[in-house]
Amino acid sequence: MAYCSATASTRGGTAPTLSNRSSISRLIDLNITSNASNQLFFTATAKTAYRKRRFYVRSEAKPKLKDPVTVEQGSIDKSKSDAEAVASRITYHAEFTSSFSPEGFDLPKAYFATAQSIRDSLIINWNATYNMYEKMNVKQAYYLSMEFLQGRALLNAIGNLELSGAYGEALSKLGHKLENVVSQEPDAALGNGGLGRLASCFLDSLATLNYPAWGYGLRYKYGLFKQLITKEGQEEVAENWLEMGNPWEIMRNDISYPVKFYGKVVTGSDGKKRWIGGEDIVAVAHDVPIPGYKTKTTINLRLWSTKVPSADFDLSAFNSGEHTKACESQANAEKICYILYPGDDSLEGKTLRLKQQYTLCSASLQDIIKCFERRSGENARWKEFPEKVAVQMNDTHPTLCIPELMRILIDLKGVSWNEAWDITQRTVAYTNHTVLPEALEKWSLELMQKLLPRHVEIIEMIDEELINGIVTEFGKSDPELLEKKLNAMRILENVELPSSIADLFIKPKETSVVDTSEMSKASDNGSIADEEDELVENMEKEVDLPPIPVTPKLVRMANLCVVGGHVVNGVAAIHSEIVKQDVFNDFYKLWPDKFQNKTNGVTPRRWIYYCNPDLSRIITKWTGGDDWVLNTEKLAELRKFADNEDLQSEWRAAKKINKLKVVSLIKEKTGYSVSPDAMFDIQVKRIHEYKRQLLNILGIVYRYKKMKEMNAVERKDKFTPRVCIFGGKAFATYAQAKRIVKLITDVGATINNDSEIGDLLKVVFVPDYNVSVAELLIPASELSQHISTAGMEASGTSNMKFSMNGCILIGTLDGANVEIREEVGEDNFFLFGAQAHEITGLRKERAEGKFVPDARFEEVKEYVRSGVFGPYDYDELIGSLEGNEGFGRGDYFLVGKDFPSYIECQEKVDEAYRDQKRWTRMSILNSAGSYKFSSDRTIHEYARDIWNIQPLQLP
């Protein structure tokens, strides 16, 4: 894991060394002085001479770089102002490390040069951070996640280093605006939704709070997909975020690890297991620096790409014309990191997903173990491994960390089974993010046996030990109870129990007492012969009966996480209770101390301070400083000013500025024109039936239908003008979610072109929703919809971002909505819908045919079917809301049940918005009450309660 063993080369001069053992470690101390000018100070810990170079950047296109610049390699010339020094660094990179031709200095080239210049600063602090960690040999946390939804890095890095002013002025001197340069950066396509965004917020907080930690993920070449919205609905094309290169990452060619698939397990003469043969690939490290805010601490996100050695290229086959065969091994390796969540309807898709998960786990653990051994010196004491390493599995995707760590310890390091199991359990912890059964991963045992044979052996042994522990705990006196516990808690599903245990559940065959007198009578009547004939006839018939289906043998990854880790945490108070009382209730009863709650949070740096500068200035003014960016408890001070007319006026003005930005965004992305004076009503999240975008759009359809039944005067009196904005991606293979997208866009196309309705109602689907789009939409939002079926959303994090930015939520008592409502006040949250404890009963009522739908709901369904929104056949979508039970039927997510409550709540929203003083007060109190939902608070809790790590601040 010695990331510092590589050297960054820069054409035209000596680059800063990246050796983590170098005595040259120049730190950047970045502070904003009281006169508001950014000052950049360099402190050298060793005297190092750097040659000065004079060069020109030639440019025939405008803007031209005006003057020659003198650059002291790796530093800023203190004889110049900050802006002049920054301009020198940008110009240097434009000339010597650019990926562009020397002609011109257009925006793409300006972006790359700017990013490379700020990366120089990050590398210096990055090296110093890990020099300190290596020297102190501190315990370090490692966060493994299949997703990291980073967003753009440039503005965040400049802001965290407190260089926004200097870079803005420098780029202005070079002929560009900072915001235009920032807009050239594509979002890193390394995630999709809340799981990845949470991971990225956590990295920001870990760095800001000076905790020793790294993130580990995969470097997806094509991301999830780029979403296009056409007349047919959603279409998917590959992401192109890496086509121009990535100036933030450093490829570590010297840091790579072998990863094996398939093969077989053999036992050597020494009795040790060896996994041999099969398919071998190489995972290569790509490092991305993560800077903290107002600190020198800069941590690392290590991403793995996959390849095979050049020797695996079949040159003979290629020269024989078998080009595809020659490249087969390389293609098989590289495709592991092509796509996030590849379609898994096919065996090939399932295999690829499992390969992805194992690659992440194996490469990361090998890296972590290498670091532990290096820091420990010649005699690594493995029992101390959990005292130096904490591994956090973000959901079930990294579950293979458990058997992989066991494999490495036992097979490669010679640790005994008992000691390896103790080490693993004390090292690994698991965050649960879902209560949906389909999201609690289960892998085919047959597939895993083929792909990872040694790991299956280890999992089988863990399962056997678990079975023995359950039998010891519950005893054998009540076989029915014991069988129930084993069925719920085993790691292996539909796999035979050990014979000693299975015998407990064999029921004795029933024997009947035969009345011989009756048999005699029957014999006399010839009925026995008749019965024999009937039996033979029935046996012949049974030959034609269909075979009994074979139940698939599965590996339950969530159960393995619970058994193999020392802590299981939920991500919101209500979710953690569901985890304990429902999802893992049997485990909770057995190990209650293992379960914790860690309510999610979001970084206030990206999600207020940088994305909403106008509101940030207001908060700073009224709270007496910008301390709130690090200590969000300060936001609570806004409560005492909530009725202040001056604050309310400033608050509304900031919101209007943000809304105007979104007006431009909508015009650019969709072609629709919307009014900034209308309420901006936003629902942006992954498209899924449980998140109930369908409820939202059916509510809009109802609103539109009622408008059409009124005259113009009645409409204006009854309805508040709204712009209803949707965004989010439906997985390419999730047909029902894609139908929801199609309905939203069809409804929008009809309403937005209805001259009778005009600006009273607009419906917009913003394509290809990502972090950068969110950074525009969230500050402009006035109402945000978090309307999932109660008990189905683990937490949510977008609800926190909206609330922080003064947006009022409409939602159910689900996920973090519960805690947000508690903090902002019940009067400042629009609540509707069934509660979590009612859901099971309501579904049962539906299955029994007792549910009576509201007449308004029936009216809306028929209106959609009438064809008013176009010729598309919505029977399958609307049909899912009908019937009592069955796949794709029975309204499992209770849209019909909650519909009346929802539209009545929306009427309260209209009423509140008409009173702008009341609405602004509610908005201020939402921002004031959001202080709890900083990821800084969450990370402090993880560090204290799960990882047992301490901050380590650079001098």
Side-chain angles (χ1 to χ4, degrees):
M1 195 173 57
Y3 89 97
C4 302
S5 58
T7 303
S9 61
T10 310
R11 287 185 299 138
T14 304
T17 180
L18 301 184
S19 172
N20 64 357
R21 305 192 187 282
S22 170
S23 62
I24 303 171
S25 177
R26 296 179 304 126
L27 307 184
I28 301 180
D29 188 7
L30 304 159
N31 299 292
I32 298 178
T33 59
S34 57
N35 64 6
S37 73
N38 292 320
Q39 300 296 321
L40 182 63
F41 300 95
F42 287 81
T43 304
T45 58
K47 295 180 180 179
T48 308
Y50 291 94
R51 290 184 299 160
K52 292 186 179 181
R53 295 181 178 272
R54 183 176 299 274
F55 62 92
Y56 294 85
V57 175
R58 298 182 301 278
S59 175
E60 298 175 2
K62 293 183 179 181
K64 294 184 178 180
L65 303 179
K66 301 172 185 177
D67 302 311
V69 292
T70 302
V71 177
E72 188 176 34
Q73 292 272 306
S75 68
I76 288 179
D77 187 345
K78 291 185 182 180
S79 66
K80 303 181 179 183
S81 69
D82 283 353
E84 289 176 330
V86 167
S88 296
R89 295 173 67 185
I90 294 171
T91 308
Y92 169 79
H93 282 288
E95 178 74 7
F96 289 106
T97 61
S98 177
S99 301
F100 298 83
S101 60
E103 296 80 16
F105 189 67
D106 56 8
L107 280 170
K109 185 173 182 177
Y111 159 65
F112 267 78
T114 302
Q116 287 159 338
S117 72
I118 200 71
R119 193 185 73 172
D120 289 349
S121 303
L122 298 182
I123 287 174
I124 294 169
N125 287 348
W126 198 16
N127 285 341
T129 299
Y130 284 95
N131 282 339
M132 177 65 71
Y133 294 169
E134 290 280 321
K135 178 181 178 181
M136 301 298 293
N137 193 16
V138 294
K139 183 174 184 179
Q140 192 166 322
Y142 301 92
Y143 198 83
L144 272 65
S145 178
M146 289 297 285
E147 296 187 40
F148 286 92
L149 198 58
Q150 292 288 93
R152 291 170 173 160
L154 180 56
L155 192 62
N156 193 75
I158 291 172
N160 279 7
L161 293 176
E162 300 180 89
L163 290 172
S164 299
Y167 268 85
E169 186 180 345
L171 285 167
S172 179
K173 290 175 180 292
L174 298 174
H176 292 299
K177 292 182 178 179
L178 175 59
E179 57 266 33
N180 293 339
V181 172
V182 167
S183 70
Q184 296 299 302
E185 181 177 0
D187 277 37
L190 299 172
N192 174 46
L195 187 77
R197 189 50 244 168
L198 177 75
S200 295
C201 284
F202 280 3
L203 293 185
D204 177 88
S205 288
L206 284 163
T208 296
L209 301 175
N210 302 299
Y211 282 113
W214 274 21
Y216 281 104
L218 296 182
R219 181 181 181 267
Y220 303 106
K221 186 174 182 179
Y222 301 117
L224 183 70
F225 59 80
K226 185 183 288 292
Q227 182 191 54
L228 306 179
I229 299 298
T230 69
K231 290 182 180 179
E232 304 304 316
Q234 172 182 294
E235 294 184 9
E236 306 89 24
V237 298
E239 284 274 11
N240 61 352
W241 73 289
L242 287 174
E243 283 193 357
M244 298 293 286
N246 180 7
W248 300 106
E249 69 180 11
I250 296 177
M251 182 177 181
R252 306 294 190 187
N253 287 306
D254 60 326
I255 300 178
S256 62
Y257 298 98
V259 178
K260 182 185 290 293
F261 306 109
Y262 304 109
K264 62 181 180 179
V265 180
V266 298
T267 303
S269 57
D270 55 0
K272 289 185 177 181
K273 298 276 189 174
R274 289 179 175 81
W275 181 18
I276 63 172
E279 174 186 314
D280 296 296
I281 67 163
V282 176
V284 180
H286 299 251
D287 288 347
V288 180
I290 309 293
Y293 173 70
K294 289 189 176 182
T295 177
K296 298 167 187 172
T297 299
T298 302
I299 66 172
N300 189 38
L301 170 59
R302 174 156 285 174
L303 303 171
W304 301 106
S305 67
T306 45
K307 67 175 187 177
V308 293
S310 299
D312 285 8
F313 177 73
D314 192 338
L315 188 60
S316 176
F318 191 86
N319 287 331
S320 298
E322 297 179 273
H323 301 152
T324 302
K325 178 183 176 184
C327 304
E328 186 175 6
S329 61
Q330 185 67 31
N332 284 335
E334 290 181 354
K335 71 182 180 183
I336 291 172
C337 293
Y338 274 175
I339 300 292
L340 170 64
Y341 303 137
D344 60 354
D345 288 343
S346 65
L347 176 61
E348 292 78 11
K350 290 181 175 66
T351 302
L352 186 57
R353 280 208 187 192
L354 192 53
K355 280 186 171 183
Q356 287 184 330
Q357 294 185 6
Y358 180 61
T359 298
L360 170 64
C361 296
S362 180
S364 302
L365 282 172
Q366 289 181 70
D367 203 33
I368 292 165
I369 287 170
K370 181 179 178 182
C371 176
F372 170 75
E373 290 179 317
R374 185 182 66 250
R375 292 179 182 179
S376 299
E378 293 182 0
N379 299 312
R381 297 167 59 87
W382 290 106
K383 66 180 181 181
E384 296 177 358
F385 188 76
E387 297 169 17
K388 298 296 182 181
V389 172
V391 174
Q392 190 69 34
M393 301 182 296
N394 192 28
D395 216 348
T396 53
H397 306 126
T399 305
L400 289 168
C401 280
I402 294 167
E404 175 67 357
L405 182 53
M406 291 287 289
R407 182 189 72 84
I408 294 173
L409 291 173
I410 295 169
D411 295 356
L412 304 182
K413 304 301 176 182
V415 178
S416 70
W417 172 273
N418 288 338
E419 186 178 359
W421 184 236
D422 175 68
I423 291 167
T424 299
Q425 284 190 305
R426 291 193 294 127
T427 299
V428 175
Y430 161 53
T431 300
N432 174 272
H433 284 280
T434 184
V435 300
L436 297 177
E438 65 269 23
L440 295 170
E441 290 185 299
K442 296 180 182 182
W443 284 104
S444 161
L445 179 61
E446 181 182 8
L447 170 60
M448 194 175 285
Q449 282 174 324
K450 289 180 181 177
L451 194 69
L452 303 169
R454 179 60 177 135
H455 298 76
V456 169
E457 288 186 348
I458 292 169
I459 291 169
E460 287 173 340
M461 293 181 69
I462 296 171
D463 186 61
E464 186 172 342
E465 289 204 355
L466 175 63
I467 290 168
N468 293 333
I470 293 170
V471 172
T472 300
E473 179 69 24
F474 296 101
K476 301 177 182 179
S477 60
D478 187 345
E480 188 175 334
L481 172 64
L482 181 59
E483 187 174 22
K484 180 182 176 184
K485 294 292 182 182
L486 289 169
N487 287 339
M489 300 174 71
R490 285 192 66 188
I491 296 164
L492 299 179
E493 184 175 323
N494 303 320
V495 175
E496 298 80 5
L497 287 161
S499 58
S500 59
I501 306 299
D503 289 346
L504 297 172
F505 309 118
I506 297 176
K507 296 179 180 179
K509 294 181 180 180
E510 294 183 3
T511 58
S512 58
V513 179
V514 179
D515 188 332
T516 55
S517 63
E518 291 297 325
M519 287 182 64
S520 177
K521 292 177 184 177
S523 178
D524 291 341
N525 296 328
S527 61
I528 290 181
D530 292 340
E531 288 178 5
E532 288 176 352
D533 290 341
E534 185 180 350
L535 179 61
V536 171
E537 184 180 346
N538 287 338
M539 289 175 66
E540 290 172 349
K541 288 179 180 177
E542 286 175 4
V543 173
D544 298 326
L545 293 175
I548 299 173
V550 178
T551 308
K553 296 179 180 181
L554 302 170
V555 182
R556 297 192 279 201
M557 307 302 271
N559 285 20
L560 179 54
C561 285
V562 175
V563 174
H566 67 283
V567 172
V568 178
N569 73 278
V571 290
I574 186 174
H575 168 241
S576 295
E577 285 305 305
I578 293 170
V579 165
K580 291 189 292 186
Q581 304 304 326
D582 184 12
V583 182
F584 298 125
N585 182 247
D586 292 298
F587 289 109
Y588 173 65
K589 288 178 179 177
L590 187 60
W591 303 312
D593 294 340
K594 183 176 282 197
F595 290 81
Q596 299 184 11
N597 175 59
K598 295 287 173 279
T599 297
N600 283 344
V602 299
T603 168
R605 269 76 64 185
R606 183 179 289 271
W607 292 112
I608 313 183
Y609 196 51
Y610 300 141
C611 77
N612 200 343
D614 294 288
L615 184 63
S616 296
R617 282 189 285 270
I618 293 168
I619 293 172
T620 297
K621 172 185 173 182
W622 287 85
T623 60
D626 66 357
D627 294 353
W628 61 270
V629 182
L630 281 171
N631 302 299
T632 51
E633 293 83 359
K634 290 272 189 177
L635 291 173
E637 295 181 13
L638 292 170
R639 286 173 174 156
K640 60 189 176 186
F641 305 115
D643 293 306
N644 185 288
E645 291 186 3
D646 291 337
L647 173 58
Q648 288 203 359
S649 177
E650 293 174 21
W651 201 269
R652 285 191 290 268
K655 184 67 71 174
K656 185 66 171 287
I657 291 169
N658 290 321
K659 290 173 73 176
L660 287 169
K661 294 177 184 177
V662 170
V663 169
S664 299
L665 173 75
I666 289 172
K667 183 67 175 177
E668 175 192 345
K669 297 287 187 181
T670 71
Y672 292 130
S673 297
V674 300
S675 169
D677 297 320
M679 179 201 301
F680 278 21
D681 171 355
I682 300 179
Q683 186 182 19
V684 283
K685 51 185 75 242
R686 177 166 53 93
I687 309 297
H688 197 289
E689 289 169 277
Y690 90 83
K691 294 179 182 287
R692 300 204 295 190
Q693 287 92 349
L694 183 56
L695 175 61
N696 186 351
I697 194 62
L698 290 179
I700 292 168
V701 168
Y702 180 79
R703 188 181 189 90
Y704 175 64
K705 186 176 186 295
K706 294 299 133 184
M707 286 181 175
K708 294 295 287 183
E709 294 169 358
M710 299 175 182
N711 61 41
V713 175
E714 289 172 330
R715 285 186 208 115
K716 189 173 181 181
D717 289 342
K718 174 71 174 175
F719 295 103
T720 299
R722 287 202 198 195
V723 178
C724 301
I725 302 171
F726 293 83
K729 296 179 179 180
F731 278 112
T733 56
Y734 190 175
Q736 200 73 309
K738 294 178 80 169
R739 291 185 189 109
I740 293 170
V741 174
K742 173 65 174 165
L743 178 59
I744 293 168
T745 56
D746 281 353
V747 170
T750 300
I751 293 176
N752 298 344
N753 291 294
D754 190 329
S755 58
E756 287 185 0
I757 301 302
D759 285 337
L760 200 55
L761 182 62
K762 298 289 185 185
V763 180
V764 176
F765 193 101
V766 179
D768 205 38
Y769 178 68
N770 57 20
V771 174
S772 295
V773 173
E775 289 170 348
L776 289 170
L777 291 180
I778 291 173
S781 62
E782 293 171 290
L783 180 74
S784 183
Q785 307 217 22
H786 302 272
I787 58 178
S788 52
T789 311
M792 300 199 76
E793 183 74 85
S795 170
T797 52
S798 65
N799 46 6
M800 302 170 183
K801 298 163 195 168
F802 280 103
S803 185
M804 277 186 174
N805 282 272
C807 178
I808 299 152
L809 309 188
I810 179 172
T812 52
L813 283 178
D814 196 24
N817 284 1
V818 178
E819 293 161 84
I820 291 172
R821 183 169 176 262
E822 289 171 356
E823 297 297 334
V824 305
E826 294 180 4
D827 294 338
N828 305 306
F829 185 107
F830 293 104
L831 177 67
F832 76 95
Q835 296 187 30
H837 67 273
E838 301 173 304
I839 300 302
T840 301
L842 290 169
R843 286 179 178 145
K844 182 180 178 184
E845 177 187 273
R846 181 69 180 244
E848 293 171 350
K850 297 177 181 178
F851 173 70
V852 179
D854 188 272
R856 293 167 290 185
F857 185 60
E858 296 299 292
E859 181 183 346
V860 166
K861 290 192 297 179
E862 288 308 308
Y863 196 54
V864 171
R865 281 185 164 130
S866 71
V868 68
F869 301 113
Y872 187 84
D873 184 356
Y874 283 107
D875 275 349
E876 286 195 67
L877 181 59
I878 300 302
S880 71
L881 307 176
E882 298 173 337
N884 295 326
E885 58 183 342
F887 182 75
R889 303 282 291 174
D891 193 11
Y892 184 78
F893 301 99
L894 303 180
V895 174
K897 174 64 182 178
D898 281 350
F899 186 79
S901 174
Y902 176 69
I903 60 174
E904 289 160 13
C905 191
Q906 288 285 13
E907 291 174 2
K908 296 177 184 177
V909 172
D910 278 358
E911 179 185 352
Y913 194 77
R914 292 189 190 101
D915 183 349
Q916 278 293 292
K917 185 173 182 179
R918 174 191 170 192
W919 188 272
T920 306
R921 182 179 189 275
M922 294 171 71
S923 175
I924 293 168
L925 291 174
N926 262 270
S927 289
S930 69
Y931 67 89
K932 172 183 174 179
F933 304 102
S934 166
S935 51
D936 294 352
R937 185 264 314 154
T938 314
I939 285 300
H940 276 312
E941 292 177 3
Y942 273 94
R944 180 190 67 222
D945 302 335
I946 300 178
W947 302 332
N948 191 28
I949 59 173
Q950 303 297 324
L952 182 63
Q953 190 163 2
L954 294 172

